Amino acid sequence: DTGVSQDPRHKITKRGQNVTFRCDPISEHNRLYWYRQTLGQGPEFLTYFQNEAQLEKSRLLSDRFSAERPKGSFSTLEIQRTEQGDSAMYLCASSLAGSEQYFGPGTRLTVT
Amino acid sequence: AQSVTQLDSQVPVFEEAPVELRCNYSSSVSVYLFWYVQYPNQGLQLLLKYLSGSTLVESINGFEAEFNKSQTSFHLRKPSVHISDTAEYFCAVTVYSSASKIIFGSGTRLSIRP
């Protein structure tokens, strides 16, 4: 068990470009969560999956954001037409239903 | 809806001094309570949690937190801090019935002076 992994760890992009992040959860975990953390703030919930099903989405998740977990294993988070306000650390976590969430190292996005 | 308030954004203390990081929460339903720690350039780690039972919970590295339902608080304490405790600490809650999304406070930066 290597824990939750995220790729890439850092991403610099120009405003208006699309970006995609990947999260690989702990293998037996059926729940996968995405959070966003901006400088000086705590993480904010974006969305979560149980297996393939996306069960909840925050109102923070605008139409430019889309998340998928097609086979109930890894997940991707795509941001279209990035804006400077999207600059943040994007955190992924996984868990068994009702149990402790384990966090990955995060992907730091910088939009220039 | 649930919310978490961490009353201090930064807490500077001298090594070996005691420390208390304050946390208050608001919720109309029962919640689980957590403290997470984020060391410099590392990911979030669970420090301790309150689910039920004894209102005093402890971590393996000497921190403790006490759940106070009447005051809706979950303050974190350590009697003697070490340089290695330098980190950002986040108080958090999740709804008991669903145990899904976590609501985090804004964090308290603990800096230890030698």
Side-chain angles (χ1 to χ4, degrees), chain A residues 78-111:
Chain A
E78 181 183 17
I79 309 174
Q80 297 182 328
R81 305 180 302 282
T82 53
E83 301 173 356
Q84 287 190 321
D86 298 331
S87 295
M89 178 76 85
Y90 290 84
L91 299 171
C92 176
S94 72
S95 76
L96 293 170
S99 296
E100 176 185 343
Q101 293 183 28
Y102 292 82
F103 284 82
T107 294
R108 183 171 296 283
L109 173 66
T110 302
V111 182

PDB file of all heavy atoms in Angstrom, chain A residues 78-111:
ATOM      1  N   GLU A  78     -10.679  17.783 -14.194  1.00  0.00           N
ATOM      2  CA  GLU A  78     -10.320  18.651 -15.301  1.00  0.00           C
ATOM      3  C   GLU A  78     -10.854  20.055 -15.043  1.00  0.00           C
ATOM      4  O   GLU A  78     -11.990  20.219 -14.588  1.00  0.00           O
ATOM      5  CB  GLU A  78     -10.875  18.127 -16.625  1.00  0.00           C
ATOM      6  CG  GLU A  78     -10.503  19.003 -17.812  1.00  0.00           C
ATOM      7  CD  GLU A  78     -11.100  18.546 -19.128  1.00  0.00           C
ATOM      8  OE1 GLU A  78     -12.060  17.747 -19.104  1.00  0.00           O
ATOM      9  OE2 GLU A  78     -10.623  19.012 -20.182  1.00  0.00           O
ATOM     10  N   ILE A  79     -10.031  21.032 -15.330  1.00  0.00           N
ATOM     11  CA  ILE A  79     -10.461  22.426 -15.274  1.00  0.00           C
ATOM     12  C   ILE A  79     -10.325  22.993 -16.675  1.00  0.00           C
ATOM     13  O   ILE A  79      -9.222  22.990 -17.246  1.00  0.00           O
ATOM     14  CB  ILE A  79      -9.625  23.266 -14.292  1.00  0.00           C
ATOM     15  CG1 ILE A  79      -9.547  22.595 -12.920  1.00  0.00           C
ATOM     16  CG2 ILE A  79     -10.228  24.666 -14.159  1.00  0.00           C
ATOM     17  CD1 ILE A  79      -8.622  23.301 -11.935  1.00  0.00           C
ATOM     18  N   GLN A  80     -11.400  23.462 -17.230  1.00  0.00           N
ATOM     19  CA  GLN A  80     -11.380  24.074 -18.559  1.00  0.00           C
ATOM     20  C   GLN A  80     -11.269  25.586 -18.439  1.00  0.00           C
ATOM     21  O   GLN A  80     -11.762  26.185 -17.478  1.00  0.00           O
ATOM     22  CB  GLN A  80     -12.647  23.692 -19.319  1.00  0.00           C
ATOM     23  CG  GLN A  80     -12.767  22.196 -19.586  1.00  0.00           C
ATOM     24  CD  GLN A  80     -14.008  21.855 -20.387  1.00  0.00           C
ATOM     25  OE1 GLN A  80     -15.034  22.501 -20.273  1.00  0.00           O
ATOM     26  NE2 GLN A  80     -13.903  20.822 -21.222  1.00  0.00           N
ATOM     27  N   ARG A  81     -10.611  26.179 -19.409  1.00  0.00           N
ATOM     28  CA  ARG A  81     -10.482  27.642 -19.490  1.00  0.00           C
ATOM     29  C   ARG A  81     -10.051  28.220 -18.141  1.00  0.00           C
ATOM     30  O   ARG A  81     -10.760  29.018 -17.525  1.00  0.00           O
ATOM     31  CB  ARG A  81     -11.806  28.261 -19.948  1.00  0.00           C
ATOM     32  CG  ARG A  81     -12.331  27.696 -21.247  1.00  0.00           C
ATOM     33  CD  ARG A  81     -13.644  28.345 -21.675  1.00  0.00           C
ATOM     34  NE  ARG A  81     -14.699  28.205 -20.694  1.00  0.00           N
ATOM     35  CZ  ARG A  81     -15.420  27.130 -20.494  1.00  0.00           C
ATOM     36  NH1 ARG A  81     -15.178  26.037 -21.212  1.00  0.00           N
ATOM     37  NH2 ARG A  81     -16.365  27.114 -19.583  1.00  0.00           N
ATOM     38  N   THR A  82      -8.893  27.792 -17.703  1.00  0.00           N
ATOM     39  CA  THR A  82      -8.428  28.172 -16.368  1.00  0.00           C
ATOM     40  C   THR A  82      -8.381  29.681 -16.174  1.00  0.00           C
ATOM     41  O   THR A  82      -8.121  30.445 -17.112  1.00  0.00           O
ATOM     42  CB  THR A  82      -7.042  27.591 -16.076  1.00  0.00           C
ATOM     43  OG1 THR A  82      -6.152  27.945 -17.140  1.00  0.00           O
ATOM     44  CG2 THR A  82      -7.088  26.092 -15.915  1.00  0.00           C
ATOM     45  N   GLU A  83      -8.641  30.070 -14.937  1.00  0.00           N
ATOM     46  CA  GLU A  83      -8.599  31.472 -14.529  1.00  0.00           C
ATOM     47  C   GLU A  83      -7.584  31.605 -13.392  1.00  0.00           C
ATOM     48  O   GLU A  83      -7.257  30.626 -12.719  1.00  0.00           O
ATOM     49  CB  GLU A  83      -9.987  31.919 -14.046  1.00  0.00           C
ATOM     50  CG  GLU A  83     -11.073  31.766 -15.084  1.00  0.00           C
ATOM     51  CD  GLU A  83     -12.461  32.048 -14.516  1.00  0.00           C
ATOM     52  OE1 GLU A  83     -12.558  32.282 -13.295  1.00  0.00           O
ATOM     53  OE2 GLU A  83     -13.435  32.018 -15.308  1.00  0.00           O
ATOM     54  N   GLN A  84      -7.120  32.820 -13.158  1.00  0.00           N
ATOM     55  CA  GLN A  84      -6.127  33.020 -12.106  1.00  0.00           C
ATOM     56  C   GLN A  84      -6.671  32.610 -10.751  1.00  0.00           C
ATOM     57  O   GLN A  84      -5.931  32.127  -9.897  1.00  0.00           O
ATOM     58  CB  GLN A  84      -5.644  34.467 -12.095  1.00  0.00           C
ATOM     59  CG  GLN A  84      -4.737  34.781 -13.279  1.00  0.00           C
ATOM     60  CD  GLN A  84      -4.058  36.125 -13.146  1.00  0.00           C
ATOM     61  OE1 GLN A  84      -4.663  37.086 -12.693  1.00  0.00           O
ATOM     62  NE2 GLN A  84      -2.806  36.187 -13.559  1.00  0.00           N
ATOM     63  N   GLY A  85      -7.952  32.753 -10.543  1.00  0.00           N
ATOM     64  CA  GLY A  85      -8.577  32.346  -9.293  1.00  0.00           C
ATOM     65  C   GLY A  85      -8.581  30.842  -9.065  1.00  0.00           C
ATOM     66  O   GLY A  85      -8.902  30.388  -7.959  1.00  0.00           O
ATOM     67  N   ASP A  86      -8.240  30.076 -10.088  1.00  0.00           N
ATOM     68  CA  ASP A  86      -8.160  28.621  -9.933  1.00  0.00           C
ATOM     69  C   ASP A  86      -6.837  28.194  -9.302  1.00  0.00           C
ATOM     70  O   ASP A  86      -6.685  27.023  -8.939  1.00  0.00           O
ATOM     71  CB  ASP A  86      -8.302  27.924 -11.292  1.00  0.00           C
ATOM     72  CG  ASP A  86      -9.643  28.182 -11.946  1.00  0.00           C
ATOM     73  OD1 ASP A  86     -10.631  28.398 -11.215  1.00  0.00           O
ATOM     74  OD2 ASP A  86      -9.701  28.181 -13.198  1.00  0.00           O
ATOM     75  N   SER A  87      -5.905  29.108  -9.187  1.00  0.00           N
ATOM     76  CA  SER A  87      -4.616  28.784  -8.572  1.00  0.00           C
ATOM     77  C   SER A  87      -4.834  28.325  -7.134  1.00  0.00           C
ATOM     78  O   SER A  87      -5.431  29.039  -6.328  1.00  0.00           O
ATOM     79  CB  SER A  87      -3.692  30.001  -8.588  1.00  0.00           C
ATOM     80  OG  SER A  87      -3.354  30.367  -9.912  1.00  0.00           O
ATOM     81  N   ALA A  88      -4.365  27.122  -6.833  1.00  0.00           N
ATOM     82  CA  ALA A  88      -4.616  26.520  -5.525  1.00  0.00           C
ATOM     83  C   ALA A  88      -3.898  25.184  -5.470  1.00  0.00           C
ATOM     84  O   ALA A  88      -3.325  24.713  -6.459  1.00  0.00           O
ATOM     85  CB  ALA A  88      -6.111  26.299  -5.300  1.00  0.00           C
ATOM     86  N   MET A  89      -3.968  24.562  -4.296  1.00  0.00           N
ATOM     87  CA  MET A  89      -3.537  23.179  -4.138  1.00  0.00           C
ATOM     88  C   MET A  89      -4.777  22.311  -4.240  1.00  0.00           C
ATOM     89  O   MET A  89      -5.772  22.560  -3.535  1.00  0.00           O
ATOM     90  CB  MET A  89      -2.863  22.973  -2.780  1.00  0.00           C
ATOM     91  CG  MET A  89      -2.426  21.558  -2.524  1.00  0.00           C
ATOM     92  SD  MET A  89      -0.944  21.123  -3.435  1.00  0.00           S
ATOM     93  CE  MET A  89       0.284  21.746  -2.274  1.00  0.00           C
ATOM     94  N   TYR A  90      -4.762  21.334  -5.108  1.00  0.00           N
ATOM     95  CA  TYR A  90      -5.891  20.417  -5.279  1.00  0.00           C
ATOM     96  C   TYR A  90      -5.529  19.103  -4.596  1.00  0.00           C
ATOM     97  O   TYR A  90      -4.567  18.432  -4.968  1.00  0.00           O
ATOM     98  CB  TYR A  90      -6.222  20.228  -6.754  1.00  0.00           C
ATOM     99  CG  TYR A  90      -6.831  21.495  -7.321  1.00  0.00           C
ATOM    100  CD1 TYR A  90      -6.016  22.536  -7.763  1.00  0.00           C
ATOM    101  CD2 TYR A  90      -8.215  21.681  -7.341  1.00  0.00           C
ATOM    102  CE1 TYR A  90      -6.563  23.730  -8.232  1.00  0.00           C
ATOM    103  CE2 TYR A  90      -8.772  22.863  -7.814  1.00  0.00           C
ATOM    104  CZ  TYR A  90      -7.934  23.886  -8.242  1.00  0.00           C
ATOM    105  OH  TYR A  90      -8.476  25.067  -8.696  1.00  0.00           O
ATOM    106  N   LEU A  91      -6.325  18.751  -3.596  1.00  0.00           N
ATOM    107  CA  LEU A  91      -6.060  17.580  -2.772  1.00  0.00           C
ATOM    108  C   LEU A  91      -7.049  16.470  -3.086  1.00  0.00           C
ATOM    109  O   LEU A  91      -8.235  16.719  -3.282  1.00  0.00           O
ATOM    110  CB  LEU A  91      -6.187  17.942  -1.292  1.00  0.00           C
ATOM    111  CG  LEU A  91      -5.235  19.006  -0.758  1.00  0.00           C
ATOM    112  CD1 LEU A  91      -5.644  19.412   0.651  1.00  0.00           C
ATOM    113  CD2 LEU A  91      -3.817  18.489  -0.758  1.00  0.00           C
ATOM    114  N   CYS A  92      -6.541  15.273  -3.083  1.00  0.00           N
ATOM    115  CA  CYS A  92      -7.366  14.097  -3.250  1.00  0.00           C
ATOM    116  C   CYS A  92      -7.273  13.272  -1.968  1.00  0.00           C
ATOM    117  O   CYS A  92      -6.211  13.229  -1.327  1.00  0.00           O
ATOM    118  CB  CYS A  92      -6.877  13.292  -4.444  1.00  0.00           C
ATOM    119  SG  CYS A  92      -7.737  11.739  -4.717  1.00  0.00           S
ATOM    120  N   ALA A  93      -8.355  12.640  -1.593  1.00  0.00           N
ATOM    121  CA  ALA A  93      -8.360  11.757  -0.433  1.00  0.00           C
ATOM    122  C   ALA A  93      -9.177  10.526  -0.772  1.00  0.00           C
ATOM    123  O   ALA A  93     -10.040  10.557  -1.654  1.00  0.00           O
ATOM    124  CB  ALA A  93      -8.948  12.460   0.789  1.00  0.00           C
ATOM    125  N   SER A  94      -8.901   9.433  -0.085  1.00  0.00           N
ATOM    126  CA  SER A  94      -9.704   8.234  -0.279  1.00  0.00           C
ATOM    127  C   SER A  94     -10.016   7.590   1.062  1.00  0.00           C
ATOM    128  O   SER A  94      -9.325   7.832   2.059  1.00  0.00           O
ATOM    129  CB  SER A  94      -9.009   7.239  -1.210  1.00  0.00           C
ATOM    130  OG  SER A  94      -7.900   6.617  -0.587  1.00  0.00           O
ATOM    131  N   SER A  95     -11.057   6.775   1.070  1.00  0.00           N
ATOM    132  CA  SER A  95     -11.457   6.099   2.301  1.00  0.00           C
ATOM    133  C   SER A  95     -12.347   4.908   1.975  1.00  0.00           C
ATOM    134  O   SER A  95     -12.869   4.790   0.856  1.00  0.00           O
ATOM    135  CB  SER A  95     -12.225   7.061   3.223  1.00  0.00           C
ATOM    136  OG  SER A  95     -13.555   7.268   2.752  1.00  0.00           O
ATOM    137  N   LEU A  96     -12.521   4.058   2.953  1.00  0.00           N
ATOM    138  CA  LEU A  96     -13.638   3.132   2.933  1.00  0.00           C
ATOM    139  C   LEU A  96     -14.849   3.915   3.424  1.00  0.00           C
ATOM    140  O   LEU A  96     -14.705   4.886   4.165  1.00  0.00           O
ATOM    141  CB  LEU A  96     -13.359   1.945   3.855  1.00  0.00           C
ATOM    142  CG  LEU A  96     -12.224   1.027   3.396  1.00  0.00           C
ATOM    143  CD1 LEU A  96     -11.862   0.039   4.486  1.00  0.00           C
ATOM    144  CD2 LEU A  96     -12.602   0.295   2.125  1.00  0.00           C
ATOM    145  N   ALA A  97     -16.038   3.528   3.003  1.00  0.00           N
ATOM    146  CA  ALA A  97     -17.238   4.278   3.382  1.00  0.00           C
ATOM    147  C   ALA A  97     -17.335   4.386   4.899  1.00  0.00           C
ATOM    148  O   ALA A  97     -17.258   3.396   5.614  1.00  0.00           O
ATOM    149  CB  ALA A  97     -18.473   3.584   2.826  1.00  0.00           C
ATOM    150  N   GLY A  98     -17.456   5.631   5.368  1.00  0.00           N
ATOM    151  CA  GLY A  98     -17.616   5.867   6.788  1.00  0.00           C
ATOM    152  C   GLY A  98     -16.347   5.838   7.599  1.00  0.00           C
ATOM    153  O   GLY A  98     -16.395   5.968   8.819  1.00  0.00           O
ATOM    154  N   SER A  99     -15.217   5.675   6.956  1.00  0.00           N
ATOM    155  CA  SER A  99     -13.946   5.583   7.690  1.00  0.00           C
ATOM    156  C   SER A  99     -13.036   6.772   7.403  1.00  0.00           C
ATOM    157  O   SER A  99     -13.373   7.653   6.628  1.00  0.00           O
ATOM    158  CB  SER A  99     -13.230   4.278   7.324  1.00  0.00           C
ATOM    159  OG  SER A  99     -13.985   3.176   7.746  1.00  0.00           O
ATOM    160  N   GLU A 100     -11.880   6.753   8.024  1.00  0.00           N
ATOM    161  CA  GLU A 100     -10.917   7.845   7.936  1.00  0.00           C
ATOM    162  C   GLU A 100     -10.505   8.125   6.496  1.00  0.00           C
ATOM    163  O   GLU A 100     -10.274   7.200   5.713  1.00  0.00           O
ATOM    164  CB  GLU A 100      -9.686   7.502   8.757  1.00  0.00           C
ATOM    165  CG  GLU A 100      -8.553   8.511   8.681  1.00  0.00           C
ATOM    166  CD  GLU A 100      -7.327   8.047   9.429  1.00  0.00           C
ATOM    167  OE1 GLU A 100      -7.437   7.115  10.259  1.00  0.00           O
ATOM    168  OE2 GLU A 100      -6.238   8.597   9.180  1.00  0.00           O
ATOM    169  N   GLN A 101     -10.388   9.397   6.149  1.00  0.00           N
ATOM    170  CA  GLN A 101      -9.907   9.791   4.828  1.00  0.00           C
ATOM    171  C   GLN A 101      -8.390   9.948   4.877  1.00  0.00           C
ATOM    172  O   GLN A 101      -7.845  10.560   5.794  1.00  0.00           O
ATOM    173  CB  GLN A 101     -10.554  11.113   4.398  1.00  0.00           C
ATOM    174  CG  GLN A 101     -12.047  10.993   4.148  1.00  0.00           C
ATOM    175  CD  GLN A 101     -12.661  12.278   3.647  1.00  0.00           C
ATOM    176  OE1 GLN A 101     -12.017  13.103   3.004  1.00  0.00           O
ATOM    177  NE2 GLN A 101     -13.942  12.454   3.955  1.00  0.00           N
ATOM    178  N   TYR A 102      -7.731   9.402   3.868  1.00  0.00           N
ATOM    179  CA  TYR A 102      -6.284   9.521   3.721  1.00  0.00           C
ATOM    180  C   TYR A 102      -6.011  10.455   2.550  1.00  0.00           C
ATOM    181  O   TYR A 102      -6.530  10.246   1.456  1.00  0.00           O
ATOM    182  CB  TYR A 102      -5.651   8.150   3.476  1.00  0.00           C
ATOM    183  CG  TYR A 102      -5.737   7.237   4.665  1.00  0.00           C
ATOM    184  CD1 TYR A 102      -6.899   6.506   4.926  1.00  0.00           C
ATOM    185  CD2 TYR A 102      -4.680   7.113   5.552  1.00  0.00           C
ATOM    186  CE1 TYR A 102      -6.991   5.680   6.032  1.00  0.00           C
ATOM    187  CE2 TYR A 102      -4.767   6.274   6.661  1.00  0.00           C
ATOM    188  CZ  TYR A 102      -5.929   5.568   6.894  1.00  0.00           C
ATOM    189  OH  TYR A 102      -6.021   4.747   7.998  1.00  0.00           O
ATOM    190  N   PHE A 103      -5.171  11.455   2.805  1.00  0.00           N
ATOM    191  CA  PHE A 103      -4.929  12.492   1.807  1.00  0.00           C
ATOM    192  C   PHE A 103      -3.655  12.232   1.013  1.00  0.00           C
ATOM    193  O   PHE A 103      -2.658  11.743   1.540  1.00  0.00           O
ATOM    194  CB  PHE A 103      -4.835  13.858   2.480  1.00  0.00           C
ATOM    195  CG  PHE A 103      -6.163  14.414   2.879  1.00  0.00           C
ATOM    196  CD1 PHE A 103      -6.770  14.013   4.057  1.00  0.00           C
ATOM    197  CD2 PHE A 103      -6.832  15.310   2.059  1.00  0.00           C
ATOM    198  CE1 PHE A 103      -8.015  14.503   4.418  1.00  0.00           C
ATOM    199  CE2 PHE A 103      -8.073  15.811   2.416  1.00  0.00           C
ATOM    200  CZ  PHE A 103      -8.667  15.412   3.592  1.00  0.00           C
ATOM    201  N   GLY A 104      -3.708  12.613  -0.258  1.00  0.00           N
ATOM    202  CA  GLY A 104      -2.529  12.603  -1.093  1.00  0.00           C
ATOM    203  C   GLY A 104      -1.721  13.881  -0.906  1.00  0.00           C
ATOM    204  O   GLY A 104      -2.129  14.768  -0.156  1.00  0.00           O
ATOM    205  N   PRO A 105      -0.571  13.981  -1.592  1.00  0.00           N
ATOM    206  CA  PRO A 105       0.307  15.131  -1.416  1.00  0.00           C
ATOM    207  C   PRO A 105      -0.196  16.390  -2.098  1.00  0.00           C
ATOM    208  O   PRO A 105       0.298  17.480  -1.818  1.00  0.00           O
ATOM    209  CB  PRO A 105       1.622  14.663  -2.052  1.00  0.00           C
ATOM    210  CG  PRO A 105       1.180  13.681  -3.078  1.00  0.00           C
ATOM    211  CD  PRO A 105      -0.015  12.980  -2.507  1.00  0.00           C
ATOM    212  N   GLY A 106      -1.167  16.258  -2.994  1.00  0.00           N
ATOM    213  CA  GLY A 106      -1.727  17.429  -3.645  1.00  0.00           C
ATOM    214  C   GLY A 106      -1.062  17.774  -4.970  1.00  0.00           C
ATOM    215  O   GLY A 106       0.077  17.362  -5.247  1.00  0.00           O
ATOM    216  N   THR A 107      -1.796  18.487  -5.802  1.00  0.00           N
ATOM    217  CA  THR A 107      -1.270  19.076  -7.037  1.00  0.00           C
ATOM    218  C   THR A 107      -1.385  20.583  -6.899  1.00  0.00           C
ATOM    219  O   THR A 107      -2.482  21.106  -6.716  1.00  0.00           O
ATOM    220  CB  THR A 107      -2.073  18.617  -8.267  1.00  0.00           C
ATOM    221  OG1 THR A 107      -1.899  17.216  -8.462  1.00  0.00           O
ATOM    222  CG2 THR A 107      -1.609  19.373  -9.507  1.00  0.00           C
ATOM    223  N   ARG A 108      -0.241  21.261  -6.992  1.00  0.00           N
ATOM    224  CA  ARG A 108      -0.259  22.723  -6.889  1.00  0.00           C
ATOM    225  C   ARG A 108      -0.411  23.313  -8.280  1.00  0.00           C
ATOM    226  O   ARG A 108       0.447  23.101  -9.145  1.00  0.00           O
ATOM    227  CB  ARG A 108       1.010  23.255  -6.231  1.00  0.00           C
ATOM    228  CG  ARG A 108       0.977  24.774  -6.059  1.00  0.00           C
ATOM    229  CD  ARG A 108       2.113  25.307  -5.212  1.00  0.00           C
ATOM    230  NE  ARG A 108       2.073  24.834  -3.835  1.00  0.00           N
ATOM    231  CZ  ARG A 108       1.260  25.303  -2.904  1.00  0.00           C
ATOM    232  NH1 ARG A 108       0.410  26.273  -3.190  1.00  0.00           N
ATOM    233  NH2 ARG A 108       1.292  24.816  -1.667  1.00  0.00           N
ATOM    234  N   LEU A 109      -1.493  24.027  -8.497  1.00  0.00           N
ATOM    235  CA  LEU A 109      -1.772  24.664  -9.792  1.00  0.00           C
ATOM    236  C   LEU A 109      -1.495  26.155  -9.697  1.00  0.00           C
ATOM    237  O   LEU A 109      -1.995  26.828  -8.790  1.00  0.00           O
ATOM    238  CB  LEU A 109      -3.236  24.442 -10.193  1.00  0.00           C
ATOM    239  CG  LEU A 109      -3.696  25.208 -11.441  1.00  0.00           C
ATOM    240  CD1 LEU A 109      -2.959  24.688 -12.677  1.00  0.00           C
ATOM    241  CD2 LEU A 109      -5.203  25.099 -11.621  1.00  0.00           C
ATOM    242  N   THR A 110      -0.713  26.643 -10.642  1.00  0.00           N
ATOM    243  CA  THR A 110      -0.464  28.077 -10.770  1.00  0.00           C
ATOM    244  C   THR A 110      -0.927  28.515 -12.148  1.00  0.00           C
ATOM    245  O   THR A 110      -0.456  27.970 -13.161  1.00  0.00           O
ATOM    246  CB  THR A 110       1.022  28.410 -10.602  1.00  0.00           C
ATOM    247  OG1 THR A 110       1.472  27.955  -9.326  1.00  0.00           O
ATOM    248  CG2 THR A 110       1.246  29.922 -10.698  1.00  0.00           C
ATOM    249  N   VAL A 111      -1.848  29.456 -12.194  1.00  0.00           N
ATOM    250  CA  VAL A 111      -2.355  29.984 -13.458  1.00  0.00           C
ATOM    251  C   VAL A 111      -1.776  31.386 -13.649  1.00  0.00           C
ATOM    252  O   VAL A 111      -1.964  32.267 -12.825  1.00  0.00           O
ATOM    253  CB  VAL A 111      -3.893  30.035 -13.457  1.00  0.00           C
ATOM    254  CG1 VAL A 111      -4.396  30.552 -14.806  1.00  0.00           C
ATOM    255  CG2 VAL A 111      -4.480  28.661 -13.163  1.00  0.00           C
TER     256      VAL A 111
END
